[in-house]
Amino acid sequence: MKKQPIKPESTFKMFEILGGLWLTGCVKTAAELNIADLLAAGPKTISLLAEETQSHETQLYRIMRALSSAGIFEESESRTFALNDLGAALQTNVPGTAKNFILTIMSEHFPAYGDLTYAVQTGKIPFDHIHGKSLWEFYKEYPEIGENFGKGMTGMSGMELKGIIENYDFTPYKKMVDIGGGNGVMIHTILDNTPNSAGIIFDEANVIEKTVQMIPDRLKERCSVAIGSFFDNIPEGADLYMMKWIIHDWSDDECVQILKNCYNAMPKGAKLLIIDAVIPDDSYNQPHMAKLLDIVMMSCLTGRERSLQEFKMIIEKSELQFNRLIHIGTEAKSIIECEKA
């Protein structure tokens, strides 16, 4: 069998790629030890950080040195570290934080990424194979871990909510339903910008219990909740429905079922927004965030990230009409507007 010679620079590049794994392990440790929170008030020496985190000073320094070399935190003389913009994304309970999502990816999800060959050779889901249950069953069995996952989704929402509000006009709609709306952060943001609109957060009972508690006082007269599964029935009669990071969780057949339920709930002329990553149809050999998010889907769920043509296929099968694709300034999300014609 003929083989192609390997260039030394290619071997080194592979080594750099592997380094991303080691660096991510350091990020996880920084998140678990709340390093960003401890540095928020100002720089600290490694000895003080070790004392406050009950850590071994030398080992903690090695972690922090690696992180600062990648631009996460800043090291100065006397082994002193300071918070910078990138490190700030690891703070706790701050809008836009990546901390909870990192802990999700590097904890219950992580073993699945090492078992992708199982997915490729069987067509099955590594997460299910490793944990003996689906992702959603896992979170129902371990609600505290599921709560962290929910917070992770909220943190990631911070990078796109501004883009959603700035690129889509919600003011014409009087009644909106956020399908699989979780803790309601998206509908809260939309209602703050549409004072004449009302919104419904629709999700399963184990989620909605906390959703109710999180509705701000200023919105309680305009924001309500509904319990159910989007595989069964969806609240009827709204003029706008939306789903953010929902469709990518499911297979094509499951998506068509969800979208048909949306169609059945929608009055004629109502709109549906699918807010998901969209892989450009002509992006051969080009990097795109959705191509990597797709590996998360393959590892943990039945879903996938899709191109616009693939979205159009499932939209057409559900009898909805595709209207337009709206970019919001991040590869992680775009808005696909559909309508019940």
Side-chain angles (χ1 to χ4, degrees):
M1 181 186 296
K2 184 178 179 180
K3 295 186 178 181
Q4 180 173 326
I6 298 173
K7 297 178 180 179
E9 58 268 29
S10 298
T11 302
F12 185 73
K13 182 62 179 178
M14 279 293 178
F15 196 73
E16 286 184 322
I17 290 170
L18 187 58
L21 172 64
W22 304 326
L23 183 64
T24 306
C26 295
V27 172
K28 177 177 182 280
T29 294
E32 290 175 330
L33 296 179
N34 301 312
I35 297 294
D37 299 325
L38 294 172
L39 293 178
K44 292 183 177 180
T45 63
I46 194 65
S47 59
L48 183 55
L49 281 175
E51 180 182 338
E52 291 180 338
T53 60
Q54 299 182 326
S55 301
H56 188 281
E57 181 177 329
T58 300
Q59 307 295 56
L60 180 60
Y61 174 72
R62 293 163 71 181
I63 295 287
M64 294 298 294
R65 179 178 60 185
L67 289 169
S68 60
S69 73
I72 306 170
F73 308 119
E74 291 182 2
E75 181 182 9
S76 59
E77 294 180 355
S78 303
R79 296 190 172 191
T80 297
F81 292 89
L83 192 64
N84 57 9
D85 288 343
L86 188 52
L90 295 176
Q91 293 176 97
T92 306
N93 296 329
V94 176
T97 181
K99 176 180 178 179
N100 303 94
F101 193 65
I102 287 165
L103 293 177
T104 289
I105 293 296
M106 291 298 293
S107 297
E108 65 269 19
H109 287 199
F110 185 71
Y113 305 131
D115 206 13
L116 290 171
T117 305
Y118 172 81
V120 171
Q121 293 188 328
T122 68
K124 297 179 181 179
I125 304 167
F127 186 97
D128 298 12
H129 176 61
I130 290 165
H131 293 284
K133 55 181 67 66
S134 74
L135 183 75
W136 308 124
E137 291 170 338
F138 183 90
Y139 287 144
K140 285 180 181 178
E141 184 173 341
Y142 303 102
E144 70 286 356
I145 301 177
E147 184 177 352
N148 178 73
F149 171 77
K151 288 179 179 179
M153 295 299 96
T154 300
M156 292 295 101
S157 293
M159 68 181 179
E160 73 251 354
L161 284 177
K162 184 173 182 288
I164 291 171
I165 294 297
E166 290 179 348
N167 290 281
Y168 194 85
D169 183 11
F170 291 90
T171 55
Y173 306 104
K174 302 307 177 188
K175 182 179 179 182
M176 299 178 278
V177 178
D178 187 359
I179 301 168
N183 58 20
V185 170
M186 182 166 73
I187 201 73
H188 299 163
T189 304
I190 292 170
L191 292 177
D192 280 335
N193 287 271
T194 55
N196 297 315
S197 303
I200 298 172
I201 305 162
F202 176 68
D203 216 316
E204 295 188 325
N206 63 303
V207 176
I208 287 294
E209 182 179 348
K210 291 198 173 182
T211 303
V212 175
Q213 302 169 11
M214 299 182 70
I215 298 175
D217 289 339
R218 67 183 183 278
L219 296 177
K220 285 185 175 176
E221 291 186 1
R222 296 192 290 130
C223 186
S224 58
V225 302
I227 295 174
S229 167
F230 44 59
F231 285 112
D232 298 325
N233 296 300
I234 291 169
E236 298 180 351
D239 45 1
L240 181 69
Y241 292 79
M242 62 195 93
M243 293 185 287
K244 180 166 70 67
W245 261 10
I246 299 296
I247 288 298
H248 77 160
D249 288 341
W250 306 97
S251 69
D252 285 358
D253 289 343
E254 290 167 322
C255 286
V256 170
Q257 183 182 348
I258 295 167
L259 292 174
K260 281 185 175 180
N261 288 340
C262 292
Y263 179 91
N264 293 334
M266 296 164 67
K268 187 175 181 179
K271 303 287 198 315
L272 167 67
L273 307 183
I274 300 172
I275 305 172
D276 254 321
V278 179
I279 301 173
D281 288 303
D282 59 352
S283 64
Y284 307 112
N285 302 314
Q286 296 299 313
H288 193 279
M289 175 62 72
K291 294 179 181 180
L292 295 180
L293 290 173
D294 188 51
I295 303 305
V296 179
M297 299 300 106
M298 183 170 65
S299 301
C300 300
L301 295 161
T302 60
R304 57 187 297 195
E305 304 297 345
R306 295 175 171 87
S307 68
L308 184 59
Q309 289 303 316
E310 289 168 332
F311 273 112
K312 286 180 177 179
M313 286 174 58
I314 59 175
I315 290 167
E316 182 179 344
K317 287 181 180 179
S318 68
E319 300 183 63
L320 287 162
Q321 171 185 295
F322 167 80
N323 281 353
R324 54 181 173 147
L325 173 67
I326 304 163
H327 297 292
I328 65 169
T330 170
E331 290 183 348
K333 299 281 192 309
S334 294
I335 299 173
I336 299 170
E337 184 188 67
C338 311
E339 183 174 350
K340 183 173 180 176

